[in-house]
Amino acid sequence: MKIILKPSGILWLSVLFYLSPASTASFLAAIALHELGHITALYLLGKKPDSMTISVTGCTIRAYGLSYREELCAAAAGPIMSMLGGLFYPRFPEFAVISLLLAGFNLLPMEGLDGGRILSCLLSLKAPQKGPPMGRISRITLISVLAVALFFARIFPSQKIFPVIAAVFLAKALLLIVSPESL
């Protein structure tokens, strides 16, 4: 598997470390667990990942020749592994919370996220002749995420990691909608 590290990925990791050095290890471990879920699912399906790109929008794993069902399984495996990461709460609470937030965010039905891939596969399996209306779904989801992020930032003003995570996730969502391929 070819690993591609884009300059925006280095910038993203640098900003994350600058804003919250103590949380960076937990955040990277949560991302690694999530991506391991996708890679494991691909190998269990008998498919080999072609490449993994690390950019400002996070990690993207490419695999070719997947059916809708296989892509559905591979897309769901990342959030499932992230949810399992939540089981580590008694021992590693910060890692567990970040894993659960990562799972929740990635399950949003937006293009470029696992939830968007899952929804697109489900809709394509149900009605293969019609393309799913992902653009409209993505916009509605983004507005909802912004509202929820503002709500949590207001409720937890003393928790500095939640606004940092929300900012990273929202930036990712905005960048995916504006220009997913240029990153």
Side-chain angles (χ1 to χ4, degrees):
M1 176 172 63
K2 181 171 53 172
I3 298 176
I4 302 161
L5 178 60
K6 293 196 173 186
S8 62
I10 296 169
L11 175 65
W12 177 76
L13 292 170
S14 301
V15 169
L16 178 65
F17 183 76
Y18 175 77
L19 292 174
S20 186
S23 301
T24 301
S26 294
F27 197 79
L28 292 176
I31 291 171
L33 180 67
H34 180 93
E35 298 305 327
L36 181 64
H38 293 305
I39 292 168
T40 302
L42 287 169
Y43 277 109
L44 288 174
L45 291 167
K47 305 292 181 177
K48 185 177 178 190
D50 181 59
S51 67
M52 180 164 84
T53 303
I54 303 166
S55 71
V56 72
T57 59
C59 296
T60 304
I61 296 174
R62 298 273 183 233
Y64 299 101
L66 298 176
S67 68
Y68 289 129
R69 287 191 196 328
E70 291 170 333
E71 186 172 350
L72 177 68
C73 291
I80 289 170
M81 285 295 278
S82 291
M83 285 184 236
L84 291 174
L87 297 174
F88 289 95
Y89 187 79
R91 186 109 168 130
F92 304 104
E94 187 175 59
F95 165 76
V97 168
I98 292 171
S99 288
L100 292 172
L101 289 172
L102 187 62
F105 178 75
N106 272 283
L107 284 172
L108 292 173
M110 294 177 63
E111 289 179 274
L113 298 177
D114 297 330
R117 288 176 48 215
I118 292 167
L119 181 61
S120 181
C121 288
L122 288 172
L123 293 174
S124 295
L125 284 169
K126 191 74 170 163
Q129 67 278 9
K130 295 182 180 180
M134 293 307 296
R136 184 171 184 206
I137 292 170
S138 292
R139 287 189 297 275
I140 292 169
T141 303
L142 179 61
I143 292 168
S144 302
V145 167
L146 286 170
V148 170
L150 290 172
F151 174 74
F152 277 106
R154 186 84 172 136
I155 289 179
F156 302 110
S158 64
Q159 298 294 322
K160 294 179 182 175
I161 186 63
F162 291 117
V164 169
I165 292 170
V168 169
F169 286 159
L170 289 173
K172 176 178 179 173
L174 286 170
L175 289 168
L176 286 170
I177 287 174
V178 173
S179 178
E181 296 303 319
S182 67
L183 302 169

